[in-house]
Every structure is written in structure tokens, then in C-alpha cells.
């Protein structure tokens, strides 16, 4: 039975015979606290949906050409999103947000009188410029690394999953690969950017056991949206938009947007989906 639980509800009591405690799971990922990051984190899903809706007719007319043409734009938007709104692997949103605040506090205030000792105001401005560029490149490299890993690893894996779940094997190969590439950019770019290649995190991802946050929620929403998007394909409606993979990709985009927003609400944020046996079975195991 699936149940949603909070990390704080886990039993912490120990005993001398227990095995050593495992490494604690990384906490849910917060959007960076800057006003720009907070605002754009809500605008980004709307931008993706708006662009998809704008190009939908072209997608129906020629799926392969349109999916290929839209791929660079999707990659650019996803890279911009992770760099602007998410903390890179090895840091936390608190640390990233605190960094700018600490620099503001440490920066010496300009004197009320005339500047002395060789224009210190100019030196502060020059140093701030260096710090800004260093911060930019510190985010740029993980962003491109996440894009590379998503393209090389996530895209083929999702393509195989699409075939296993019913996509044509001997035909529509270009559509399958391009659909997988779009889904990979939507779901995996943020996960790789904030978690890197940490094995414990990816075990939770594949086990659907990550604490709910904007990154995990958007990835899960992409998968669920694609699943529900496949429903109209076998229906005998004879509509051009029912062709593979249009409805699957439409569901993936909608699921990404809904998941990234709903996962940040207090109802779901920080909770886990845990698959546990029934209470009666637990009691029976304890008595045996």
C-alpha cells in the first residue's frame, strides 16, 4: 500500500543490535531564495506550456521536424532554469542564498566623506565583478554537465522505456528518440544538476522514494503525464493529433508544469511516497 509520510515521522529509536545507520537522505531541494529565482520558478512552466501550445499545430503537421527544431530551445530554457533557480550539486539553496547575503554584509560601506587611499570604491566594484563571474561559471559547468548526462544517458534509457511500454519498435524510431529527448530534458536536467551522480539519491529516484520538491515533482509529473497522455492513442477518434508521440509529449509537458508547482505546496513538500505492507501483515510478522 502506498502512503505519503513526512521525514520527521521516521522512528529514530535505536538498539545495540541494530546495523549501523545509513547515510541520511538529502533533504528536499528548495528554489533559491532570490526574488528573481522565486519569480521565474513560477514563470518557467508557463513559458514552456505557452511555447508548446504555440507550436502545437506545426507539431501535428510534421512531428519529427518540429520536435527536432524545438529541442535546442528546450535545452536552453532548461539550462537557464537550473542555473537561475536551483542550487548546484554539493550545495544547498540555503547556502547559495546565504552567499549573496554574506557578501553584502562583509562588503565595507562607503564612507560618508570623500574617498581616500586610492579610490577603495573602485576596488570593491572590481572585486565584486570577479565574484559574479566566478559564481556564474560555478553554475555553468554543472548545468552543461547535467545537459550532457541527460542527452547521453537519460535519452536512450527513456527511449527504451517508451518501447517497453508500447511504442513502435520497427517504425517511428525518429519520433521515439525525439520524444525521449524532450522527456529527458524535462525530467532529468534538474535532477542531475542538483544531485549529481550520487548513488543513494538515484536509488530513491528509481524507487519513487525521494522527498517531494520542485525538482523531483517535475520529474515525476513528466512521467505520469506521459503515461496518461498515451490513453488517447488507441481510441478510434481518427484525429491527426492522436498520432504517436503527440499526446504522450503533451501529457509530459503538462505533467512537468503541474508537478513543479503542486510539489511546492505545503500539502506535498517534503513528504515521501512509501510502499509498505498492510498493517495486519506487519502485526503478523511481529508475533511470529
Amino acid at each position: 500500500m502506498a502512503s505519503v509520510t513526512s521525514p520527521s515521522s521516521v522512528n529514530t529509536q535505536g538498539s545495540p543490535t541494530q546495523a549501523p545507520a545509513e547515510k541520511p537522505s538529502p533533504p528536499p531541494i528548495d528554489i533559491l531564495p532570490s526574488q528573481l529565482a522565486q519569480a521565474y520558478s513560477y514563470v518557467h512552466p508557463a513559458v514552456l506550456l505557452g511555447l508548446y501550445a504555440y507550436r502545437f499545430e506545426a507539431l501535428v503537421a510534421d512531428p519529427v521536424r518540429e520536435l527536432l527544431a524545438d529541442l535546442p530551445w528546450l535545452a536552453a530554457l532548461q539550462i537557464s532554469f537550473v542555473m537561475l533557480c536551483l542550487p548546484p550539486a554539493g550545495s544547498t539553496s540555503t547556502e547559495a542564498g546565504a552567499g549573496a547575503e554574506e557578501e553584502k554584509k562583509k562588503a565595507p560601506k562607503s564612507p560618508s566623506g570623500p574617498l581616500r587611499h586610492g579610490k577603495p570604491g573602485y576596488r570593491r566594484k572590481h572585486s565584486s565583478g570577479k565574484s559574479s563571474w566566478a559564481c556564474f561559471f560555478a553554475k555553468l559547468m554543472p548545468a552543461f554537465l547535467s545537459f550532457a548526462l541527460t542527452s547521453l544517458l537519460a535519452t536512450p534509457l527513456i527511449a527504451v522505456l517508451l518501447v517497453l511500454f508500447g511504442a513502435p519498435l520497427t517504425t517511428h524510431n525518429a519520433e521515439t528518440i525525439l520524444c525521449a529527448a524532450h522527456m529527458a530534458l524535462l525530467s532529468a536536467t534538474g535532477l542531475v544538476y542538483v544531485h549529481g551522480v550520487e548513488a543513494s539519491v538515484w536509488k530513491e529516484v528509481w524507487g519513487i522514494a525521494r522527498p517531494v520538491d520542485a525538482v523531483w515533482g517535475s520529474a515525476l509529473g513528466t512521467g505520469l503525464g506521459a503515461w496518461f497522455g498515451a490513453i488517447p492513442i488507441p481510441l478510434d477518434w481518427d484525429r491527426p493529433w492522436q498520432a504517436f508521440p503527440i499526446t504522450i509529449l503533451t501529457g509530459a509537458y503538462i505533467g512537468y508544469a503541474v508537478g513543479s508547482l503542486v510539489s511546492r505546496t505545503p500539502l506535498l513538500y517534503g513528504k515521501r511516497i512509501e510502499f509498505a505492507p498492510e498493517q495486519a501483515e506487519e502485526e503478523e510478522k511481529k508475533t511470529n
Side-chain angles (χ1 to χ4, degrees), residues 152-234:
L152 297 175
L153 300 179
T155 298
L157 180 60
I158 294 177
V160 171
L161 290 176
L162 287 174
V163 172
L164 292 177
F165 279 98
L169 178 60
T170 58
T171 61
H172 297 79
N173 294 325
E175 288 90 338
T176 300
I177 294 296
L178 290 171
C179 178
H182 278 252
M183 290 179 60
L185 285 172
L186 290 172
S187 60
T189 307
L191 285 171
V192 177
Y193 182 80
V194 299
H195 297 303
V197 293
E198 188 173 348
S200 61
V201 174
W202 288 99
K203 286 180 180 178
E204 291 183 337
V205 169
W206 288 110
I208 317 180
R210 278 291 303 156
V212 176
D213 54 33
V215 181
W216 171 231
S218 61
L220 188 59
T222 300
L224 290 176
W227 176 281
F228 287 109
I231 294 176
I233 293 179

Side-chain angles (χ1 to χ4, degrees), residues 35-74:
Q35 292 183 353
L36 179 60
Q38 291 287 328
Y40 186 69
S41 65
Y42 291 102
V43 172
H44 180 72
V47 170
L48 288 180
L49 285 181
L51 291 176
Y52 185 83
Y54 176 72
R55 302 299 301 171
F56 186 75
E57 290 185 4
L59 176 64
V60 174
D62 191 346
V64 173
R65 180 179 178 180
E66 188 61 29
L67 288 175
L68 188 61
D70 291 345
L71 204 55
W73 295 104
L74 176 60

Side-chain angles (χ1 to χ4, degrees), residues 121-140:
Y122 173 78
R123 290 197 299 271
R124 286 197 299 273
K125 182 178 179 182
H126 186 67
S127 175
S128 176
K130 281 185 177 180
S131 177
S132 298
W133 278 107
C135 181
F136 174 78
F137 281 109
K139 292 185 174 184
L140 183 63

